[in-house]
Structure formats: structure tokens, C-alpha cells
Amino acid sequence: MKRCDHRREQEQRMNAKINTMKVVRDGVSLAYHEAGGGDGSPILFVHGFGCNGGHFRLQQQHFAAFTRTVAVDLRGHGASDAPLQDYGPIGFADDLRWLCDHLGLKRPIVVGHSMGGNIALKLAARAPDFVKAIVMLDTFVDGDASFLQGLRELSDNMQAIGGSRQLFETLSAMLFLPSDDPELKKDVLEQCARTPWHVLTSAFAAHLLHGSSVTDLQQLAVPAAYIGADGLPTEIWRVEGINAGVSTGKTLGVGHFSPLLAPDQINAMLECFVGRVNASVALA
């Protein structure tokens, strides 16, 4: 009986329909992708720099069998509008809070990949009662002096780089391992290359050079997890040194885009953390 239930649950996950919709905030159209339902804590997925909500489709298919999931296209990314403006973590976090209010997504567990983890941190710092917990997937929080200097030099050379495709071709050696799936790598880079240049230049400086993620992590007042990948951006020991209360883990054998490259590993760790958070809330 248990085996049949497990098979049925797997089929439900694989067949979960992800619906894409849009809402308008102050004249800006924001796209999001929704799947699932149930009594579990809702999960809000926040993609990374230059990406889109579709990068979490394998996590939505996994969790939709027992809870409501929403993956956003941040403004400037994916199918959302890209007005000429600053693209910093506070603005993104405010969009997320507005969207959750609009959709009736109460106290979500916020899962952010890369820059999305910085935004989840900012949302928790600005509104700790608004989120139940956060998860950061290979998010850059802190690095050594040489890495930070490399980021500054890259930022200074942005105009010479000249465009979205060239930027991600420059970054690809840091984002992917030689063993990562080449077709998936090609697809991800092509998607990221479609992100408008003015969005990328603004978000790069705001999140990687002028962000406040270390302070946000030090002051974090909600349960949190950090899942790193092989390579950059932040070594797990740095996260543990900033906030010893953060649960940490690491994917094996894949680079930065772990939600797509290693969904079984990511989903298993997320499921463990989500279950623990829900159990602790039930006992409180």
C-alpha cells in the first residue's frame, strides 16, 4: 500500500501543471508561475541574476503534490517588465512582499537561488514576521579579498563587455563545471543573455558590490538554510561563521545552477528543511 501511495505521489509530482500568470504593480507587469496546493507551508521560489522562475520548475513539480508553490520572474527578468530604474535588493524584496499579499501567500518559506537568496535575506531582514523561513542556494554572501577585487574589476569593465550575452560568456567559467550538462549550460546561458543590459548592470553592482547580506545574515531572526555547490560563490564555512544557527549543506558534482543540474539533491535537502521547519512551528 505504501509503495502504491509513493508511486501515485511521484506521478502527481511529474504531472503537476505550472500556470504562468501576470499581475500589475504600479504600472509594472510582474510574471509568476504557480503550481500545487494543500495545507503545507507555501513555498516562494526566487531565481538568480539574469534568470527566471522557470529555473525552479523541477522544484515546483516536486513540491506541488502537497503544497502551494509560486516561482517569480523578478522585475526586469523573464516575462516581467523591465523599466529603466535601479534594480537593488530592497526593490525586489518589496515586490515579493506585495506579490505575496496580492496572492494571499501567507508566511511562505522563501527559497532563493544565487541573487534570489540575497533577496530572501533582505525580505526576512525587512519583514521577519512575514516569512516562515528562508533557504539560500549557492548565494554570494561573503568572499575573500581577491574574489571581491575581481568583482570590482568586472564591474568597472562592464561597458567594455558591452552586452548581456558577452557578460554571461565571461561568467560561465565561474558558474559551470566542465562536467556540467553542456546542453543545459547552453540553454541557461541563452536565457540569461535575453535579460536586458540595463537590468544586469544595475543588479550586478547592487547585489555583488554594494549589498548588505553579511549584516542581514548576522541579524536574521527566522530559520534558515544554506546549500552550496562546487566552486563559487561563498564557502559554507563563511556562512557558518557569520551565523552559526544556519543549517548548511552542499550538492556534489555540479556547479552553480544546482536546482537544474542536481534536482534530486536539492529537493531532498529542501524537503528535509521544510519538514523540520513545519514540525518546529507545530510544536511551538
Side-chain angles (χ1 to χ4, degrees), residues 9 12-13 16 35-43 59-69 109 267 270-272 274-275 278:
E9 183 175 304
Q12 286 177 324
R13 288 174 176 174
D39 298 330
S41 297
I43 303 176
Q59 284 65 52
Q60 286 196 274
Q61 289 172 348
H62 180 85
F63 285 96
F66 53 86
T67 196
R68 185 183 181 192
T69 71
I109 295 173
N267 293 344
L270 286 179
E271 193 168 326
C272 180
V274 168
N278 287 334

Side-chain angles (χ1 to χ4, degrees), residues 209-224:
L209 298 181
H210 309 306
S212 57
S213 290
V214 170
T215 300
D216 291 339
L217 187 57
Q218 288 171 334
Q219 299 174 353
L220 191 65
V222 303

Side-chain angles (χ1 to χ4, degrees), residues 131-154:
V131 301
K132 183 174 287 187
I134 67 167
V135 181
M136 297 159 280
L137 304 179
D138 215 30
T139 292
F140 177 71
V141 177
D142 193 21
D144 61 29
S146 61
F147 181 67
L148 291 171
Q149 179 59 31
L151 292 179
R152 283 190 286 269
E153 291 175 358
L154 182 58

